[in-house]
Amino acid sequence: MTQFNTGTADAPLSHEASSTRLIAGVNVSDTPLVAAVVEYAQRLSEPYLFNHAMRSWLFAEAMGRIKGISYDREVVAIGTVLHDIGLTATVSGPNRFEVNGADAALSFIRGKGLSDRRAQLIWDLVALNSTPSVALHKEPEVAVGTMGIGLDYGGFGVQALPAGDLERILNAFPRLKMKQNFADTCCRLVTERPEKSYDNFLRDFGERFVPGYKTVSTVDLLMNAPFEE
């Protein structure tokens, strides 16, 4: 597992040294809450999933900088680092994994001084992280976090990232066979609770890899609705 040391910086910063630091050459938010969130995510997650969360955060910051977007950097840090905790064995709930993860993230940050508005943005970023067709049109914090997540998941927008940035981030937080490990995690969730996979990307993993998986058609839901026409 790549260890994240929350107490040291790669290099000294300017007047913002008390609130930012460099990780793999990327300037990121450095607050006690961000440090606690990183430790929490690392404790919950398998090494490959933690590294994915960290790369997503760094890619989000790099893309935000490249695109000149203004956003709350602490919110992006928290939401992006916690975006996949709903995939971990520890976090469960009655909803699809993104919502379970968003609820768990909100529970973790509750009482730690964030306004309701900032907490809502974190919830939205976690809950919508796998729905970029919506998330990219939300507030800058949700959109930027989603950009970083999408870049690490499928390479979306990678051409905009300088090669040096990409190499430093991948070296700092290796992928650790993410493709296979992530697929295995998704298949586990589909097998355990197939009814929570019909309206998110878990459906694709179920159809491709889980024998006997059957989905519910939205067309059937409409046609079988209990109303006279």
Side-chain angles (χ1 to χ4, degrees), residues 212-229:
Y213 176 72
K214 299 292 184 182
T215 64
V216 173
S217 168
T218 56
V219 175
D220 288 341
L221 293 176
L222 172 66
M223 296 306 174
N224 295 330
F227 305 108
E228 294 183 7
E229 296 298 310

Side-chain angles (χ1 to χ4, degrees), residues 5 21 44 62 125 175 178 219 224:
N5 185 341
R21 62 171 292 183
L44 291 184
L125 173 49
R175 290 182 63 84
M178 177 179 158
V219 175
N224 295 330

Side-chain angles (χ1 to χ4, degrees), residues 74 125 130:
E74 187 177 45
L125 173 49
S130 62

